[in-house]
Each structure stands twice: as structure tokens, then as C-alpha cells.
Amino acid sequence: MRNRKKDGIKRGARRLAAAPLVAVLCAAAPLTEAQVIEAAATSPSVRLSDAHQAVATAETLAASLAANPTLEWRQERPPGTEQKIDSWSFSIPLDVSARAASGRHLGRARVARTGAAARRAKSDAIGFALRQFYQLAGLRERAHLQAEAQSRFVEAARVLQRRSVAGTAAEMGTIRLELEAEMAHAALRQSQAQIERLHEGLARRLGLDPKT
């Protein structure tokens, strides 16, 4: 009976050795809130919206400019004289048609529309990034607590193992603590996977390298 008890204690020790404490955080350092806001404000989706606004502004400005002026020089000789007279003419083409005015109004409306879209894209990008950031912070805090709980279960099980060897504690208590430690280990691994997945998704959305 005592040999079987010792064998059970040894198996428990091997299970604890096979379930080491898992690192809580991603390999990459967590982004700060300021870094998330800055990166979101210049993310690919925001830059694309800004580019649309810049194109609309440039096209509207080009359409509102007057055509290039022309300068013309002429030299004439009045009939019956030997004298030559120089003449200069300067002209600027003006388009005062309703079509031109309508085009200018449409251009200004497009600039306003793309400007509003760019502001909305920036606001949406920052809002989404911050929600992901706070979710990541919560997951990391939970993982820290799970790691602390697992560490305490492991240490308590080791104490009971030593007492079981000495015959001052029941082996069942050690097994129960080992199971608790393994469950905490599994929960911690799940949190770790969620952290890494969320971190990678946020980094890619912000146009960053997930490993930085």
C-alpha cells in the first residue's frame, strides 16, 4: 500500500513538472494607449480616406482656376505711310456658363463629402483600436491572475506532496490540487492564445508589424 502511495505521489510530481507556468504576455511588448491612438490616426484606411480628400481638393482647385492668359503682339503699317505701329493685346478666357458654375459647386460638394468621410474614418479607426486595446488590457490582467492562481496551486500541491511522503497528509488532497493546477494552466493557455490573436489582429489593422 505504501509503495502504491509513493508511486501516486511520483506520478503527481511528474504531472506538475509537465505543466510549467506559461508566460502571460505576448512575445511583443504591449502597445501603449498613446501609440494605439497615433497608429490608428495614420492607419491604412485613414490614409486612403485622406488621399481621396486630397484628390478631390486638387481637382476642384484645378477646375476653379481660370485658363491661361494670352499675350499677342502685332505690327501694322497704315496704308500710305512708311511708319510701323506695334500693338499688344492681352486676354483671359472666362467661362461664365451655367455648366461651369455647376461643376464648381459639385467640386466643392465633393471636397466637403470626402472631408467628412476622412474625419469619420479617423474617428472610427481610433474608436475601434481603443476598444481592442482595452479588451487586450483586460485579457492581460485576467491572465496575470490566472498565472498567480496556477502558481499557488502548484506550490500548495508540492507542499502536500512532501507531507504525503512524510505520512502527515492524504494523497487525495495532493491529487485535487494537481487537478486545480492543471485546470488553471489550461485556462492560462487559452487566455494567452486570445491575447496573441487579438494583439496580432490589432497590429495588422493599424499597419504595424505584429512582432514589434
Side-chain angles (χ1 to χ4, degrees):
M1 173 68 75
R2 188 167 182 83
N3 288 336
R4 287 199 299 270
K5 184 177 180 181
K6 288 183 177 180
D7 290 341
I9 293 172
K10 289 179 180 179
R11 286 195 299 272
R14 285 196 295 269
R15 284 203 299 271
L16 287 176
L21 187 64
V22 180
V24 176
L25 299 179
C26 310
L31 295 171
T32 65
E33 183 176 2
Q35 289 173 327
V36 168
I37 293 175
E38 181 181 0
T42 57
S43 60
S45 61
V46 174
R47 291 200 299 269
L48 180 61
S49 296
D50 289 342
H52 288 322
Q53 183 187 13
V55 169
T57 301
E59 290 179 349
T60 301
L61 178 62
S64 65
L65 296 176
N68 291 330
T70 58
L71 179 63
E72 184 178 1
W73 169 74
R74 290 182 180 180
Q75 188 177 68
E76 299 178 344
R77 178 186 298 172
T81 66
E82 296 295 328
Q83 184 180 5
K84 295 181 180 179
I85 300 176
D86 294 326
S87 63
W88 299 84
S89 63
F90 180 80
S91 62
I92 301 178
L94 296 176
D95 188 352
V96 295
S97 65
R99 180 179 179 181
S102 177
R104 288 190 291 270
H105 286 305
L106 289 175
R108 286 192 290 269
R110 184 186 174 197
V111 170
R113 185 174 66 254
T114 55
R119 291 189 296 272
R120 184 169 61 252
K122 181 176 292 187
S123 176
D124 291 346
I126 292 175
F128 176 84
L130 285 178
R131 287 192 295 272
Q132 297 289 91
F133 171 78
Y134 295 135
Q135 186 178 352
L136 263 174
L139 285 173
R140 286 194 173 97
E141 181 63 25
R142 185 179 72 180
H144 276 297
L145 295 176
Q146 290 170 334
E148 184 178 352
Q150 181 197 358
S151 180
R152 290 181 178 180
F153 281 131
V154 169
E155 183 58 31
R158 286 172 178 166
V159 171
L160 277 183
Q161 283 177 358
R162 290 193 293 269
R163 292 179 60 186
S164 295
V165 172
T168 59
E171 183 182 1
M172 186 58 64
T174 303
I175 294 175
R176 185 165 56 249
L177 283 175
E178 290 170 0
L179 292 176
E180 292 286 353
E182 290 172 1
M183 290 173 62
H185 176 82
L188 182 57
R189 289 295 299 268
Q190 184 178 8
S191 294
Q192 172 71 12
Q194 290 177 328
I195 290 171
E196 292 176 349
R197 186 167 56 251
L198 194 60
H199 175 87
E200 181 178 353
L202 177 59
R204 292 191 185 282
R205 187 179 180 92
L206 296 178
L208 303 175
D209 185 351
K211 297 181 180 179
T212 59

